[in-house]
Amino acid sequence: MKLYDSATAPNPRRVRIYLAEKGISVPVEPVDIGKGVNRQPPFLAKNPFGGLPVLELDDGTYIAESIAICRYFEGLRPEPPLFGRGAVEEALVEMWNRRVELNLYQAVAAVFRHTNPGMKGMEDQVPEWGEKNRPRVFEFLALLDRELTDRMFVAGDHYTVADITALVAVDFMRPAKLIMPEEFVNLRRWHLQVGERTSASA
């Protein structure tokens, strides 16, 4: 088994945090996305979309997409449960993870990819699209701040993959030059709390 990883990209970090929470160690092979290694035929044979991370199993199976990789390991090691406990919580975790992905994670990524000068060589930039996503980030942050008024974590009372996705998205705001408003006190409390977990540095 081997995990194709990138130390700088946000999606691989989601898997690293998940694995750290589970206490699972997997051999890692770094992929230099700055040099476009993930866009070359040898890597595209593993993932035709060229994205990271990719998990290679011992039987030659390749699993791409962060949440798909996490679900694979959840099946192997269900404790501690990071996709919810029981039908209701599992559904709420799925709901909030998707909400964060679609409304925050993707918006932050769009700002970074389309407005950061360093991405010009890697992205067909549309600066207007990046700017259009900027207010979407803060609209969702405001909603999440309200939601966190009466609960500890994104999807409820337990730390889950929804918190992992949200942490990585919020941290990705820094290279995207997006600043968390001071008035989002619940969100700031949550961010400090999850950011202090040992897994956050994975």
Side-chain angles (χ1 to χ4, degrees), residues 73-185:
F73 284 110
E74 191 80 2
L76 295 180
R77 187 177 297 182
E79 295 294 332
L82 293 177
F83 282 88
R85 297 160 170 81
V88 173
E89 189 174 296
E90 288 174 6
L92 290 173
V93 171
E94 184 73 22
M95 177 182 78
W96 276 106
N97 190 65
R98 288 298 289 154
R99 284 176 170 177
V100 173
E101 284 181 332
L102 295 171
N103 298 286
L104 179 61
Y105 193 96
Q106 288 185 6
V108 173
V111 173
F112 176 76
R113 293 167 66 178
H114 292 280
T115 67
N116 189 308
M119 292 296 293
K120 283 185 178 179
M122 301 172 64
E123 195 78 37
D124 185 11
Q125 290 186 318
V126 182
E128 295 82 3
W129 178 240
E131 293 302 327
K132 191 172 183 65
N133 276 274
R134 197 178 296 273
R136 290 185 59 216
V137 171
F138 298 105
E139 288 168 9
F140 186 80
L141 290 177
L143 181 151
L144 191 54
D145 182 68
R146 293 193 299 271
E147 291 287 333
L148 287 166
T149 300
D150 56 3
R151 65 176 183 263
M152 187 171 295
F153 297 107
V154 171
D157 296 331
H158 302 110
Y159 179 92
T160 68
V161 292
D163 295 285
I164 295 175
T165 299
L167 172 64
V168 172
V170 170
D171 286 350
F172 197 33
M173 289 171 58
R174 180 177 294 179
K177 294 183 168 53
L178 296 162
I179 299 173
M180 173 84 72
E182 292 288 341
E183 63 264 28
F184 293 164
V185 293

Side-chain angles (χ1 to χ4, degrees), residues 19-51:
L19 292 175
E21 287 285 337
K22 289 285 188 178
I24 298 173
S25 179
V26 179
V28 170
E29 181 170 320
V31 177
D32 192 336
I33 59 177
K35 293 182 178 179
V37 173
N38 58 313
R39 300 296 177 184
Q40 300 303 313
F43 188 83
L44 293 175
K46 301 173 178 64
N47 180 7
F49 292 97

